[in-house]
Amino acid sequence: DINGVLNSGDIPNLYAAEDMESIMSTCKIECTKKRIQPTKINIYTQYLIRVKRNIHVCMCMSPGSAIFRDRLRMFPSLVNCCAIDWFSEWPEEALRSVGMGIMQEVDLKLGDHLGNIVELFKVFHQSVAEASEQYYTTLRRYNYVTPTSYLELLNTFKVLLQKKRVQVGGLVSRLQTGLD
């Protein structure tokens, strides 16, 4: 359980007997270096200290989701034992740069319109962020506009554009076949 790992560095009954022997032999040396009596408990404590010092967990969650609130309630160590980085909104240049990069991953055949389309998506994203601030001041309810929202917008456009091109291509083909 993530709460136990973050709190104590330990998951009960995780290790097999041969794994425990390896842990005991490795951490026994640390006990002798620190002049601690090498009992099973002291050796295992040294191991847990090592785990806590070296464990790094990276989790990404949207702060607006109910799942985020539920996880914080279920696992209080996420708040008590972790550093939470709240990422702020992206600057205009980052929105433009990321938008261009994502839209150029696949040749969407947008030609000279690509820059204008990315600029339009940037404006959409920023206007939703502004409207969300007004929404909060009016109704005291949050609508989070995250970088993930922007990425989803771009990817939805790509997928929808490709689907519609296939659909329209099929209709054009049917029309041409019918006329021939």
Side-chain angles (χ1 to χ4, degrees):
D1 142 48
I2 192 75
N3 213 40
V5 171
L6 294 174
N7 239 343
S8 66
D10 185 25
I11 300 174
N13 303 319
L14 176 67
Y15 304 107
E18 54 272 359
D19 293 334
M20 284 303 289
E21 287 176 24
S22 174
I23 290 169
M24 292 297 170
S25 64
T26 304
C27 293
K28 187 174 187 177
I29 298 166
E30 287 185 32
C31 280
T32 55
K33 282 182 185 176
K34 293 181 179 181
R35 295 188 178 143
I36 300 171
Q37 186 160 359
T39 63
K40 266 189 161 185
I41 292 173
N42 288 342
I43 293 171
Y44 195 67
T45 302
Q46 290 305 306
Y47 171 71
L48 292 179
I49 290 170
R50 181 189 265 189
V51 168
K52 282 179 164 181
R53 186 176 52 232
N54 292 318
I55 194 164
H56 298 281
V57 177
C58 180
M59 297 174 67
C60 299
M61 291 185 259
S62 176
S65 68
I67 294 171
F68 180 67
R69 288 187 295 277
D70 292 343
R71 296 270 158 72
L72 290 180
R73 278 189 220 109
M74 289 170 48
F75 308 114
S77 292
L78 288 173
V79 175
N80 300 332
C81 302
C82 294
I84 298 177
D85 289 332
W86 298 95
F87 294 101
S88 58
E89 61 189 50
W90 286 353
E92 283 189 34
E93 185 54 39
L95 291 170
R96 192 175 298 111
S97 174
V98 168
M100 290 297 280
I102 287 179
M103 298 300 274
Q104 290 173 341
E105 287 176 348
V106 177
D107 184 20
L108 297 172
K109 299 178 180 90
L110 295 173
D112 296 336
H113 301 291
L114 179 63
N116 292 332
I117 290 171
V118 169
E119 190 66 26
L120 183 65
F121 286 137
K122 180 183 73 84
V123 170
F124 286 166
H125 183 74
Q126 291 173 326
S127 63
V128 169
E130 290 170 13
S132 295
E133 289 175 16
Q134 292 173 354
Y135 179 68
Y136 177 74
T137 56
T138 306
L139 300 173
R140 291 287 184 221
R141 299 203 62 192
Y142 285 104
N143 175 49
Y144 291 98
V145 181
T146 63
T148 304
S149 308
Y150 183 65
L151 298 174
E152 286 177 9
L153 173 66
L154 295 171
N155 285 318
T156 300
F157 174 77
K158 283 175 32 179
V159 168
L160 192 59
L161 179 64
Q162 290 170 337
K163 282 182 181 178
K164 289 298 178 181
R165 281 192 175 153
V166 168
Q167 182 183 15
V168 169
L171 292 173
V172 166
S173 175
R174 275 184 57 197
L175 181 62
Q176 286 177 342
T177 305
L179 293 176
D180 291 342

